[in-house]
Each structure stands twice: as C-alpha cells, then as structure tokens.
Amino acid sequence: MQITAALSRGPESPFTLEQVSIAPLRADEVRVRIVAAGVCHTDLVSKALLPPAPAAVFGHEGAGIVEETGSGVEGVSVGDKVLLTFRSCGQCATCAQGHRSYCASFVALNSSGARPDGTTTLSQDGEPVRSPFFGQSSFATYAVATQDNVVVVDPATDLVAAAPFACGFQTGAGAVINVLRPAADARLVVYGAGGVGMAAVMAARALGVETVVAVDLSEERRKAALAVGATAALDGRSDDLAEALAEATGGGATHAVDTTAVPAVIRAAAASLAPLGTLVLLGLGAREVTFDVMDLLNGGKTIRGCIEGDADPHSLIPQLVRWHAEGRLPVDEIIRRYAFSDINTAIADAASGSAIKPVLVFDEPTAG
C-alpha cells in the first residue's frame, strides 16, 4: 500500500512529502489513518541527530482512525478513534509495576528506527525507511502501530486537540498527576511555558491546586499561561525573580517542574523550593547540572527525573480526554493547527518558539 510520508534526509534538509510503501500488518499490529499529529521537541532533537541515510519518518503524537487490525489484536477495532503513544514491553519489572515509561526496552522499542527484529514498517523503492519512530512514525497519512501503544478514546474526541496528549501533554500533566501529586494548598512553580509546561499548569489547576506560577522569558507565553489557569506568570529574565517567586508562593514552592533543561534555571528552581519541596525535571538538553548540596540537605529537598509523565497511557490519556471534554483542560488555547503540507513551517515555528504547540492536520488520504 502506498502512502504519503514526511521524509527526513538529515539534520540540514527540510522534510519532503514523498510516496512510501507501508508494510502489511503482523498479528499484534494496527494500521491507523492519521487525522492529526502533534509536533514535539523530541521530533526536532531526533532529526538533528540522524544522518541523511537511510531516510527517516518521525512523529509520535499521532491521532486517527483504525482501518485494520492484526489477527492477535484485542480491545481495538476497525473504526475506533485512537491516540498513538510510546511503546513498552509490558513484561519487565518496571512495566509490571505500572511504570511503563521506564520500560527496560524503551530505547529499542521507540528510538531504534526499526521493529525489534530490525525490519521497518515503511520502505521506498525496496529500501528501508527508518520506522516506526515511537512505534508509529505518524508524520504520514497512515501509520502502523502496535496494540501496546494504541489507546482507544471516546468517539466524540476531537483528535486534533487530543493528539498532543500522546506525549507532550502526557509528560507535563503526568508529572503533576503521577509524580508530584499536589494537594489543593500546594504551591507549584512551572519553569518553561511551552507545551509540556502548559500541560503541567493545566493539570495542576484541574486538580484544584490554588497556587500555580509559570516562569518564562516570553511575554506572549506568560499571557497564555494565565489564560490556561496559572495564578501568576513571571519573567524569567527578571533580576528579582527569586524575590518575586517567594512572594507569589508565600515563601517558596512546595512543588516545581522544569521543562527548560537549562542548568542555571534548574539550579535556581532547586534553590527556590521550600523545605521538603520537590523538583521534577522534564526537559531534554544539558546533561550535567550542579547544585548546592547543603541547601538540598538542610531543606530536605527532592530532585528527580520523569519520562512521559511516569504514565500508563491507557489510563492517563483517557483521563486527559475526559478533562478536555469537561472544560478542565483548555488545550485549544495553545494549539496552532497546520496542514500536513506545511510541516516545515510547523517545525520552524516549534523550533523558534513562535508556536506553543503545533499540530499537523491531515487531509482525507487516498489509499494506494
């Protein structure tokens, strides 16, 4: 079957829409017609790392309609609306404990550029194309996913609005819901008001947290953070940021989320925690950060990492969909829609920060 996919041929080249062949389904696989796909920072990072050949198809926030299922697939039917999320084996120790984002096979299943046996789901003129990315490669009109990373959602779901729930919004919201678990009287600070940070803000407000402060360099993003529920939004460039944070939080954050991966920001976030406060790190970037160990010891502070919101997608994603339907997760305020053919504009806007959350919207594809 011939489909249209956005091919990446190295860090410096733009995406090009080309015809590729999609593989027949295996027993545990599902073919999905893609309706929308979010653009995530991980797509940009991965494109920047891979060589020109073989070509690759990214996209890991796919949303669409199931068109075919493999013979061994259960719980997913033709016609279902689905979101495509990350893969996990479901059998290792962390998966068995419900922490699927720390699966022992996470890298092999999501970032290897092939199925576990080395084959790909996409090819062109008989040559393999790196796929499936995150078990989907959803920058394409169709994607082959696997039962473990296909999440069936309510038939009334707006797939364009919900597509980012599959990764970016799941990461930010999950960090709050699953890791921080703040009470109503908590004082949460979110550093970086991009898509992930905004999801953290919205999730905290949906949980009833009374004090939620966003910190960002962009005035437009600070305004957007207030529009989705932040109780205060502070300029990260301010010379008196520490004092402003202390005032906005009544003495320091009990909980904090960093999405920037900037060492200076992370250090400041740790320093601004109240005693016994917790900082969760979500950003991809700098690999080394230094801290004042005495401050951590004397304050009993906790700093920990978090991948994909420490989520079981099959429970968290439907919860986020319900919250959106109930008006408790106003994601439409920060999504900007792009036609699939405008993918390079969407990527550029994501890289520059001019769009908080780009989402590609697909025309009705014609089957090959």
Side-chain angles (χ1 to χ4, degrees):
M1 176 178 173
Q2 291 290 300
I3 68 169
T4 302
L7 268 61
S8 170
R9 300 183 184 277
E12 305 304 323
S13 67
F15 285 96
T16 55
L17 299 189
E18 302 180 33
Q19 292 292 296
V20 298
S21 298
I22 192 167
L25 295 185
R26 295 180 174 181
D28 63 343
E29 292 179 337
V30 178
R31 189 176 76 243
V32 177
R33 176 175 63 83
I34 300 298
V35 172
V39 174
C40 182
H41 182 63
T42 304
D43 296 308
L44 279 64
V45 171
S46 300
K47 178 176 173 56
L49 292 175
L50 289 181
V57 177
F58 299 113
H60 63 290
E61 293 181 344
I65 310 294
V66 174
E67 291 219 334
E68 184 181 358
T69 62
S71 60
V73 171
E74 298 178 354
V76 181
S77 302
V78 171
D80 282 345
K81 282 188 175 181
V82 295
L83 301 187
L84 307 182
T85 186
F86 65 88
R87 289 209 61 197
S88 55
C89 74
Q91 300 174 345
C92 66
T94 49
C95 282
Q97 294 167 5
H99 303 290
R100 286 181 171 265
S101 58
Y102 305 107
C103 174
S105 301
F106 189 93
V107 173
L109 291 173
N110 293 285
S111 304
S112 67
R115 294 179 174 117
D117 66 0
T119 63
T120 62
T121 55
L122 300 175
S123 61
Q124 187 178 58
D125 299 328
E127 296 297 321
V129 172
R130 290 182 189 269
S131 58
F133 184 60
F134 274 68
Q136 55 187 279
S137 288
S138 52
F139 288 169
T141 50
Y142 289 84
V144 170
T146 311
Q147 181 171 327
D148 64 84
N149 71 314
V150 174
V151 180
V152 178
V153 295
D154 189 281
T157 300
D158 177 349
L159 292 177
V160 177
F165 296 166
C167 182
F169 289 0
Q170 175 174 241
T171 296
V176 174
I177 297 167
N178 296 323
V179 179
L180 291 176
R181 302 181 181 183
D185 61 353
R187 306 183 302 275
L188 172 68
V189 178
V190 178
Y191 296 86
V196 174
M198 293 290 196
V201 168
M202 289 185 280
R205 294 297 285 163
L207 290 172
V209 177
E210 297 169 359
T211 302
V212 181
V213 181
V215 179
D216 200 273
L217 304 180
S218 164
E219 181 179 1
E220 290 302 313
R221 291 194 175 206
R222 294 196 299 273
K223 289 179 180 177
L226 293 172
V228 299
T231 55
L234 305 179
D235 187 348
R237 292 192 182 92
S238 174
D239 292 335
D240 62 351
L241 178 60
E243 292 80 3
L245 280 169
E247 181 178 354
T249 59
T254 58
H255 305 77
V257 171
D258 177 75
T259 70
T260 71
V262 176
V265 175
I266 295 172
R267 284 195 298 272
S272 295
L273 287 173
L276 303 178
T278 298
L279 168 64
V280 175
L281 307 181
L282 304 181
L284 297 176
R287 299 178 69 91
E288 296 184 1
V289 183
T290 58
F291 297 99
D292 181 343
V293 175
M294 291 308 298
D295 174 60
L296 300 181
L297 289 173
N298 292 332
K301 299 178 181 180
T302 300
I303 301 172
R304 63 156 289 179
C306 177
I307 294 293
E308 294 286 357
D310 195 3
D312 179 346
H314 292 272
S315 59
L316 181 60
I317 287 176
Q319 178 180 349
L320 299 181
V321 170
R322 288 193 300 271
W323 278 1
H324 178 249
E326 295 165 0
R328 299 169 64 190
L329 211 66
V331 298
D332 304 86
E333 294 282 345
I334 60 170
I335 285 174
R336 185 182 297 176
R337 303 179 180 214
Y338 297 78
F340 180 39
S341 58
D342 291 331
I343 184 171
N344 288 305
T345 302
I347 294 292
D349 289 351
S352 70
S354 63
I356 296 175
K357 187 61 185 183
V359 176
L360 302 175
V361 181
F362 291 69
D363 294 330
E364 289 290 329
T366 301

